Amino acid sequence: METTPSRIPLSKLEETIDAYVASYEKYTAAVSVVSIKDGETIVNKAYGYADIENQRKADTSTVFEWASISKLLVYTSVMQLVEQGKLDLETDIQEYLPEEFFKNLKYDDPITLLNLMHHNAGWEDQTAAEVFYYSEDETLELGETLRKNEPKQIYKPNSIVGYSNYGVGLAGYIVEEISGQPFYEYVDQHIFEPLHMNDTSIHPTGQDHPDLVQRRNEIEGYTKDLKLIPENRVYVTFYPTGAAIGTAEDLGKFLAALMPVDDSNVLFKNRDTLNEMLSTSLYYEGTSTPRFAHGFVEMEYWVPTLMHEGNLKAFSSKLVFDPESKFGMVVMTNQSFEEIYYYGLIKEIFGDNVNSNIITSEGGGYFQSARRAAARFTNLFTFLDITKYTKADLAKAYNVVEHNGVIEKISVTPYIDYLPVSNVKVNLIKISLIPAVLAAIFSLCALLGYVIRMLINKLRKRGNPTTNFNKYDLAINFAGVALLLNLFILQTKFYPAYFSIRINLIFNLLYVVLAVAYLCLLIYKLRKNSCSKKQTVMYIMSGISAFILAAFIVGWNLYV
């Protein structure tokens, strides 16, 4: 009797999925599930609501966003051109790009297509504002947008895995350069058309299939607790990395093509090319444990599988398959960072995945994601996201790299390495926050004190004695309170478009200018010595607070 990897009889698979969905119905917006076995679709069902507010049910024609599963189209396209001898996986990619394409490379080591597939070319991560936009009018030609948004290279190639949308977008651009076609046209001709994927598009705005765009606009997006996400249609700057939209059924056709049942092979002329693409190309450092198969993530459930996940502002998706048994699944939802199906249902069908490391060092400590912005306003928020892992936590990680009893990096997800952060650095970060918090508190108290004094004087029908400098003191403290509010707003922005945070960043820079101006005026005022000691102390305290907050903004790049 044929079964799933978790030993569920295939004859009962649909019933099992139905029961699973029913048990989590109250947490579900829409979910579409496709199961493939030996090239045949054995389950193709949709559940829940594409639009809860208008009670529009999801069905098998519902269009979802693929998000990062789109990257598999890049890897497949690259391998097709490798098969034709037009690309080589280990050649420096600068041979395929226009001259002087890069401006921010720090290391002379070559970057290869394998580095792009493995996310270890060394680039810093980019902010959501650089990766996503909300208006079709902002669409740029792929090569132009890659040049415009080139990140800094902060790691040596091959040393650190840090998930990179830029890197995969670059691989898509190389496909354009070599094929002479826009990436979306290449994929249409060499993947979608041969597989009869008529309900899928990877055009940056979907405008090559207006009907699909209309159907995409009929589905809303929700959080994990089913709150509506407004403006949930985002466009991807490096569009080959996440712009695909389509039905789960169509994604199932692509999945079936990755597991052909005989010598027939639609995606490649030679079966050996498919086998190469699905073979391990990167192991976890110092181990024989597979990590990537030319961009496909290798994941050990009860059987070895290949998979890729996808998340956008309002969608979560996952593709998982076992090439040996030729069984695979697609799960697509309209919920942000959804877990019930994205993880739970997959585990139900494929079994649990268990990792176990033997830690020889003392273990434990603070770690920071290698996927981070190094010189942008998100740098502060990345440092605030430093996580403490115990020795027990590390034992469950995918991999731990140690040298002479010292942990050099860990992998708590296949896509990203985490680097140790010393206790000293953690304490310095905390220390840097203390004066900033105290300065903000002083500004708030000074502003409240001024308002209270003004109200008391008004109630007692007394004038508000003031000096010419009081208005400057009031202004800088008011600006300090506004800065605090602005930083809070900036930190809570969810998938912001650049235009939506530009005013926040400009305000931060403006505060620095105001602080410098205030300090200059204060020095001039103190040299004239024309105010009381009490006023002098207050003005100096305001100046110190302004200096601290301005230094905080500049030090943490909160203006870029």
Side-chain angles (χ1 to χ4, degrees), residues 27-276:
Y27 305 108
T28 302
V31 58
S32 195
V33 182
V34 172
S35 296
I36 305 292
K37 172 65 178 175
D38 293 330
E40 299 293 328
T41 301
I42 57 175
V43 175
N44 179 18
K45 298 190 74 172
Y47 307 84
Y49 291 91
D51 183 342
I52 296 174
E53 288 71 25
N54 293 305
Q55 293 291 285
R56 184 183 295 120
K57 288 190 174 182
D59 58 35
T60 55
S61 68
T62 297
V63 171
F64 293 83
E65 295 183 9
W66 284 30
S68 285
I69 291 179
S70 307
K71 292 178 173 64
L72 300 184
L73 300 173
V74 177
Y75 306 142
T76 302
S77 301
V78 167
M79 293 304 295
Q80 288 177 338
L81 295 174
V82 167
E83 181 179 61
Q84 296 169 33
K86 296 178 179 179
L87 288 175
D88 180 82
L89 295 177
E90 299 189 45
T91 293
D92 190 330
I93 60 172
Q94 296 200 61
E95 292 194 19
Y96 304 125
L97 296 168
E99 288 187 13
E100 299 183 355
F101 187 86
F102 297 118
K103 305 296 183 185
N104 295 327
L105 292 184
K106 180 179 180 180
Y107 299 96
D108 294 329
D109 301 55
I111 297 172
T112 68
L113 281 164
L114 280 176
N115 291 139
L116 304 185
M117 291 173 161
H118 299 156
H119 301 280
N120 63 0
W123 283 300
E124 68 171 332
D125 195 29
Q126 289 157 305
T127 67
E130 294 167 297
V131 177
F132 306 104
Y133 59 97
Y134 286 80
S135 171
E136 294 181 24
D137 297 335
E138 296 182 50
T139 304
L140 297 174
E141 182 269 331
L142 182 56
E144 181 182 354
T145 197
L146 286 163
R147 283 191 183 92
K148 180 181 177 182
N149 294 284
E150 182 191 351
K152 290 185 177 180
Q153 190 183 37
I154 59 175
Y155 307 114
K156 193 173 183 178
N158 294 307
S159 63
I160 300 293
V161 172
Y163 194 75
S164 175
N165 285 298
Y166 180 85
V168 181
L170 191 60
Y173 178 60
I174 290 172
V175 171
E176 283 195 351
E177 287 289 286
I178 299 303
S179 69
Q181 296 176 275
F183 180 76
Y184 68 87
E185 284 187 6
Y186 178 92
V187 172
D188 273 342
Q189 182 178 341
H190 296 93
I191 298 178
F192 293 161
E193 289 179 11
L195 296 179
H196 306 291
M197 295 171 64
N198 302 318
D199 288 322
T200 305
S201 168
I202 196 171
H203 186 281
T205 62
Q207 290 305 318
D208 60 339
H209 287 75
D211 58 317
L212 280 179
V213 174
Q214 181 178 347
R215 285 158 60 188
R216 158 59 187 90
N217 292 338
E218 292 173 354
I219 184 170
E220 293 290 355
Y222 301 89
T223 63
K224 287 189 287 187
D225 53 358
L226 299 183
K227 292 181 180 178
L228 178 68
I229 299 174
E231 291 188 279
N232 56 63
R233 179 66 163 117
V234 297
Y235 302 99
V236 182
T237 306
F238 316 122
Y239 79 88
T241 71
I245 59 173
T247 62
E249 181 177 359
D250 257 17
L251 184 51
K253 293 176 182 177
F254 177 70
L255 173 59
L258 298 173
M259 306 181 293
V261 294
D262 49 35
D263 290 335
S264 63
N265 190 357
V266 179
L267 292 175
F268 302 100
K269 293 179 180 179
N270 191 326
R271 181 64 175 270
D272 290 341
T273 308
L274 175 63
N275 293 338
E276 180 185 359

Side-chain angles (χ1 to χ4, degrees), residues 475 508 516:
N508 290 347
V516 172

Side-chain angles (χ1 to χ4, degrees), residues 328-401:
M329 282 189 68
V330 168
V331 175
M332 306 186 84
T333 77
N334 61 337
Q335 289 176 264
S336 173
F337 295 97
E338 191 278 333
E339 296 178 352
I340 291 171
Y341 302 101
Y342 189 92
Y343 292 114
L345 180 58
I346 294 298
K347 186 170 71 172
E348 186 86 3
I349 306 304
F350 284 87
D352 209 347
N353 60 308
V354 179
N355 307 300
S356 181
N357 294 288
I358 299 175
I359 312 299
T360 59
S361 69
E362 292 184 5
Y366 293 98
F367 292 86
Q368 177 190 29
S369 171
R371 185 189 182 186
R372 64 183 184 89
R376 290 172 170 83
F377 74 91
T378 53
N379 196 22
L380 169 64
F381 307 123
T382 304
F383 270 106
L384 293 179
D385 197 32
I386 289 173
T387 304
K388 187 172 186 178
Y389 289 95
T390 65
K391 192 168 185 177
D393 294 329
L394 296 180
K396 297 176 183 177
Y398 288 101
N399 191 46
V400 176
V401 178

